Amino acid sequence: MTTGTPPPTAPRRSRARTFIPLAVAAWVVLEIWLLTVVADVAGGFTVLLLLIGGVVLGAVVMKSAGRRAFRNLTETLQRMPGQPGATAASPDAPSGSKGNGFLMLGGLLIMIPGLISDVAGLLLLVPPVREMLGRRTEKSLERRMRTATPGSLSDAFQQARIHRPDGKVVQGEVIRESDSQPDDNPRPPLTS
């Protein structure tokens, strides 16, 4: 007996799910090979010192970026309208508040054992590189938000935002005053 409907097909696997594991495996193999080449040329103790130095430098970078991000958050919250000493205008972004995420990513890449990840992490410590990556990331996210299909996760984020011409979010509370008075004799609870 045929129903006229085609048999269900398995969902097609995305390219990212196929190539990301392959790329990570190739990266790990390349990192190990490069470390063995450097160990042959400079010695195992030198490689060990490079790896320990990378962990220490990465931790210092991540710690300073985290402190900087926390300080910027605190300054922004203190400048919010309604706080003591705050102006009526909306808070501007504190100077140097951009790039904390890329600084933390750079520190993490430096902490990961390997020379390629160290070079990528050191590149993220350069301010022009961070600014360029920030602009490209922002443009990519805006493009994806515009092309989001209704009902997707990005559509939920877009719907959750409060839009104003200047792009600022106004927090508030809605209070409705009703004309009806509460009952003095509430209904008794339901009993079984």
Side-chain angles (χ1 to χ4, degrees), residues 67-187:
R67 283 185 177 173
R68 185 171 139 187
F70 186 74
R71 183 179 62 243
N72 290 338
L73 175 67
T74 304
E75 289 174 6
T76 301
L77 291 176
Q78 287 175 351
R79 285 192 246 157
M80 294 293 282
Q83 296 293 326
T87 61
S90 66
D92 295 330
S95 62
S97 66
K98 292 194 174 219
N100 287 328
F102 285 122
L103 274 175
M104 287 185 185
L105 179 62
L108 179 67
L109 285 173
I110 292 171
M111 286 179 73
I112 293 174
L115 299 176
I116 297 172
S117 62
D118 288 350
V119 169
L122 288 172
L123 280 175
L124 285 175
L125 298 183
V126 178
V129 173
R130 282 196 316 265
E131 290 172 10
M132 180 193 65
L133 284 174
R135 285 192 303 268
R136 293 188 100 178
T137 304
E138 189 174 340
K139 286 179 185 177
S140 173
L141 287 174
E142 286 176 0
R143 188 175 350 106
R144 287 181 185 211
M145 292 294 278
R146 281 194 304 267
T147 61
T149 58
S152 66
L153 182 62
S154 59
D155 184 47
F157 285 123
Q158 193 170 18
Q159 294 297 323
R161 291 174 51 195
I162 299 173
H163 295 282
R164 286 187 44 189
D166 55 1
K168 296 177 183 151
V169 176
V170 176
Q171 295 180 354
E173 184 177 319
V174 176
I175 300 174
R176 292 190 179 141
E177 295 180 16
S178 61
D179 294 331
S180 63
Q181 298 293 329
D183 292 335
D184 290 335
N185 298 326
R187 284 196 269 171

Side-chain angles (χ1 to χ4, degrees), residues 37-59:
V37 168
V38 171
D40 285 342
V41 172
F45 187 70
T46 305
V47 171
L48 181 65
L49 288 178
L50 282 172
L51 294 176
I52 291 172
V55 169
V56 170
L57 178 64

Side-chain angles (χ1 to χ4, degrees), residues 7-22:
T9 58
R12 188 168 171 238
R13 188 175 177 144
S14 70
R15 286 187 196 172
R17 288 185 60 187
T18 302
F19 290 118
I20 287 179
L22 292 174

